[in-house]
């Protein structure tokens, strides 16, 4: 690479080191070989990170590099890496170049300079994201790739620390050693984000309850968030005296103290298996990112003061002061690293880039249908085992031929999965002793124990964070978000974290989970918007996310099997939407007709492949497309239309993602008329996707849709003025004919 443009921070380092004098014998004892080695290793990681930042800036100016949020000023985080093992899972702040290089030095054969530069130039052979994004990530180094969403990785870090201990208790083997420590770093501005405060609160809640949680929280406090200063002393005041959270603090321009303080903090967490907080005071050099003009909000005096606290200067001075290196040797080492980085950058520029949509999206939604079917249809516990479990205090299951409601069927499917696979966990607010607000998880806590069925804090981000960590630790989480409206408090844990993990790790890491969400509307006697939410738009635009929407009891059990299998086999993230109003429904047309109950699907046969619909009737006049509560309404409307001589076929989509496109097109072509009965909203609802799929498939017949209004759902009977109803379905059908 051509000689990079000089940066003030680069010039300042060289000028200051050149002006240093070789000290005589230090007043304190000279460092021993181990201490000297530690300082040299620290310095090598720090200067490597600095030159990577300088190279990234230069590559960006040349239009060949695509990421320049640098680590300059934060290189003291290399001391944290030195205090940990390369097998300790690390979820890192995006200014973690020093940490990454120092950790790589702990494992022979690694090439961290290449790793980072391949990411900067978006080369396909970058070892973690494969050119999809610039991340600090490497499975051999236990560094998990992170997004740039503010603090979104903290709930996952808490969940992973929890899951490491829980998996050990359950005898489930994971990727990391039993005595591992999870390290999670973040900035001072990020510490104010609700996601961070919620995650730290969850960690403290676990500590208060004496639940093991080996988590080292590292706040890299550079005193500013992009352009907004953090008040002096704010981090110490906020976290310095939190009950249950030991506080360690050190300045990044104190290299010897950094090494010792980080080691004390890490050792404390490893011994006690409880969280601790390391406050690492840093500076931010060269602005926020490549496009940031720091002089627009900081004076030159402030910038110069920050440069005097440069951790590279501090480590270089310590090496000179203790007689480990001369000033000239410090400069030589620095310039040799510059040359090495420049040569590596030139090599990286010639590496292959991603070239096709298929290659780019390959890690998003892996699917092996045959393996999913095998897992979903494999025998669970025997009848004798289930009876024995009931004798031990569990809830006896209904007889094989008994007709079940939707809630009963889901409950039995959950019990089947818990019995089948010791990695399965069921958790959420009120799911354990109470058995869920609607009794769907009733009896599972008593039968399978608090280690596998447990209540959580009332915090959706933490519930999903627990699932994110559990999946990484080798477990198979089935969390519950109590109502669909509450998901939106934590949707980014699905969108920005769970669903992107495979993309940012080229499939190396996955977040297998099945998130159960009671939702939709039509509850009688209880409701209002937050308990009757029909908004699914936030779920339908997430690439790779599986969204199941069962309505009939037998479908629900079979689809839950499929989702758990897809999570177990392919690491898929699945959302399982359960219509609350149908949980305990038994009848379809008349009182006591039991038309909405079904026998539990036999193990070995009850499997619904992803993206497959279910058709009722085979009329040739009209195709009614629906799902969820709309299915019951459509079936009743179809019966009345049949009495008028209208031949209707009803297609229950069952899966909102992936959408059953081929079956949808076939059913539409069979009649030439499609009416979509959609209980979600006119805008952003299911029907928009269905119409688009039909048009894209080349359907040229008539299409119409009836939906709920673009409105929140009010209390009482007023709700039925904005919701889809049977009268509207039937009226629209007759108008189409």
């Amino acid at each position: 690479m051509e000689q990079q443009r000089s940066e003030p921070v680069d010039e300042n380092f060289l000028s200051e080191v050149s002006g240093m004098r070789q000290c005589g014998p230090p007043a304190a004892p000279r460092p021993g070989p181990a201490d000297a080695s530690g300082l040299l290793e620290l310095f090598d990681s720090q200067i490597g990170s600095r030159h990577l930042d300088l190279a990234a800036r230069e590559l960006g100016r040349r239009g060949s590099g695509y990421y320049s949020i640098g680590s300059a000023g934060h290189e003291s985080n290399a001391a944290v890496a030195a205090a940990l093992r390369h097998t300790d899972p690390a979820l890192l702040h995006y200014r973690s170049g020093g940490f990454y290089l120092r950790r790589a030095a702990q494992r022979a054969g690694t090439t961290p300079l290449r790793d980072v530069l391949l990411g900067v130039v978006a080369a396909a052979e970058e070892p973690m994201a494969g050119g999809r994004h610039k991340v600090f990530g490497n499975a051999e180094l236990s560094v998990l790739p992170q997004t740039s969403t503010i603090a979104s990785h903290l709930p996952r870090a808490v969940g992973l620390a929890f899951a490491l201990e829980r998996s050990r208790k359950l005898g489930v083997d994971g990727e990391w050693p039993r005595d591992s420590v999870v390290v999670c770093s973040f900035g001072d501005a990020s510490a104010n984000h609700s996601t961070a405060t919620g995650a730290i609160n969850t960690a403290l809640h676990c500590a208060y309850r004496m639940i093991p949680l080996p988590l080292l929280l590292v706040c890299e406090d550079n005193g500013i968030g992009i352009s907004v200063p953090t008040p002096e002393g704010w981090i110490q005041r906020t976290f310095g005296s939190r009950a249950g959270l030991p506080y360690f603090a050190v300045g990044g321009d104190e290299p010897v103290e950094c090494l010792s303080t980080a080691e004390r903090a890490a050792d404390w967490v490893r011994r006690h298996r409880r969280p601790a907080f390391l406050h690492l005071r840093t500076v931010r050099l060269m602005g926020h990112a490549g496009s940031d003009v720091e002089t627009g909000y900081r004076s030159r005096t402030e910038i110069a003061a920050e440069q005097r606290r440069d951790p590279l200067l501090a480590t270089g001075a310590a090496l000179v002061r203790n007689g480990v290196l001369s000033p000239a040797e410090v400069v030589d080492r620095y310039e040799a690293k510059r040359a090495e980085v420049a040569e590596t950058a030139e090599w990286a520029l010639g590496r292959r880039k991603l070239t096709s949509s298929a290659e780019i999206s390959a890690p998003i939604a892996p699917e092996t249908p045959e393996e999913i079917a095998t897992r979903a249809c494999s025998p669970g516990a025997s009848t004798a085992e289930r009876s024995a479990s009931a004798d031990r205090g569990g809830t006896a299951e209904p007889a094989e031929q008994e007709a079940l409601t939707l809630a009963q069927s889901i409950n039995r499917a959950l019990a089947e999965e818990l019995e089948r696979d010791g990695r399965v966990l069921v958790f959420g607010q009120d799911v354990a002793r109470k058995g869920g607000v609607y009794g769907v998880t009733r009896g599972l806590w008593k039968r399978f124990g608090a280690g596998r069925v447990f209540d959580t804090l009332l915090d959706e981000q933490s519930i999903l964070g627990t699932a994110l960590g559990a999946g990484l630790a080798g477990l198979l989480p089935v969390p519950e978000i109590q109502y669909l409206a509450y998901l939106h408090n934590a949707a980014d844990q699905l969108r920005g974290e769970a669903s992107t993990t495979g993309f940012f790790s080229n499939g190396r890491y996955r977040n297998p989970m099945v998130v159960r969400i009671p939702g939709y509307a039509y509850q009688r006697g209880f409701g209002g918007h937050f308990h009757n939410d029909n908004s699914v738009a936030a779920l339908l635009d997430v690439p790779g996310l599986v969204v199941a929407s069962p309505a009939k009891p037998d479908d629900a059990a079979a689809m839950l099997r499929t989702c758990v299998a897809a999570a177990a086999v392919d690491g898929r993230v699945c959302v399982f939407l359960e219509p609350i109003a149908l949980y305990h429904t038994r009848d379809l047309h008349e009182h006591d007709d039991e038309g909405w109950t079904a026998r539990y699907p036999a193990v070995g046969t009850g499997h619904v492949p992803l993206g497959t619909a279910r058709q009722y009737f085979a009329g040739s006049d009209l195709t009614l497309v629906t799902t969820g509560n709309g299915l019951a309404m459509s079936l009743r409307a179809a019966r009345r239309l049949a009495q008028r001589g209208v031949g209707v076929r009803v297609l229950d989509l069952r899966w909102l993602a992936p959408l059953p496109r081929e079956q949808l097109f076939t059913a539409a072509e069979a009649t030439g008329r499609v009416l979509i009965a959609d209980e979600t909203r006119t805008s952003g609802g299911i029907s928009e996707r269905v119409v688009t799929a039909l048009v894209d498939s080349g359907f040229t017949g008539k299409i119409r849709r009836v939906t709920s209004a673009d409105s929140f759902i009010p209390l009482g009977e007023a709700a039925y003025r904005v919701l889809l109803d049977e009268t509207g379905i039937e009226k629209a059908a007759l108008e189409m004919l």
Side-chain angles (χ1 to χ4, degrees), residues 9 39 47 76 99 122 177 224 232 256 291 321 339 342 375-376 392 406 422 430 499 515 525 550 557 587 614:
V9 68
L39 278 174
I47 60 176
S76 47
F99 183 105
I224 195 165
E232 182 72 26
V256 176
S291 60
R321 183 171 59 250
R375 168 62 171 73
R392 292 192 298 268
L406 181 69
D430 297 314
S499 296
V515 185
D587 304 327
R614 181 175 180 177

Side-chain angles (χ1 to χ4, degrees), residues 1-11 13-14 47-62 117 286 312 334-346:
M1 189 172 72
E2 297 174 5
Q3 179 64 35
Q4 61 203 23
R5 184 187 304 176
S6 178
E7 294 280 355
V9 68
D10 189 29
E11 295 174 353
F13 175 82
L14 292 171
I47 60 176
S49 177
R50 178 63 56 84
H51 282 301
L52 286 171
D53 285 350
L54 295 171
R57 292 261 175 152
E58 181 60 28
L59 288 166
R61 283 190 282 262
R62 291 166 51 181
L117 287 166
M286 297 200 292
L312 271 66
Y334 183 81
E335 292 298 346
K337 189 65 69 174
R338 186 198 305 272
E340 183 183 1
V341 169
E343 181 181 357
T344 306
E346 284 299 333

Side-chain angles (χ1 to χ4, degrees), residues 56-80:
R57 292 261 175 152
E58 181 60 28
L59 288 166
R61 283 190 282 262
R62 291 166 51 181
S64 302
Y66 307 100
Y67 194 90
S68 60
I69 296 183
S71 302
H74 283 245
E75 292 93 347
S76 47
N77 56 36
V80 181

Side-chain angles (χ1 to χ4, degrees), residues 352-368:
R352 187 182 74 85
K353 306 299 191 293
L354 296 169
T355 57
S356 72
S357 174
E359 182 182 17
I360 293 165
S361 60
I364 293 176
E367 187 174 346
T368 53

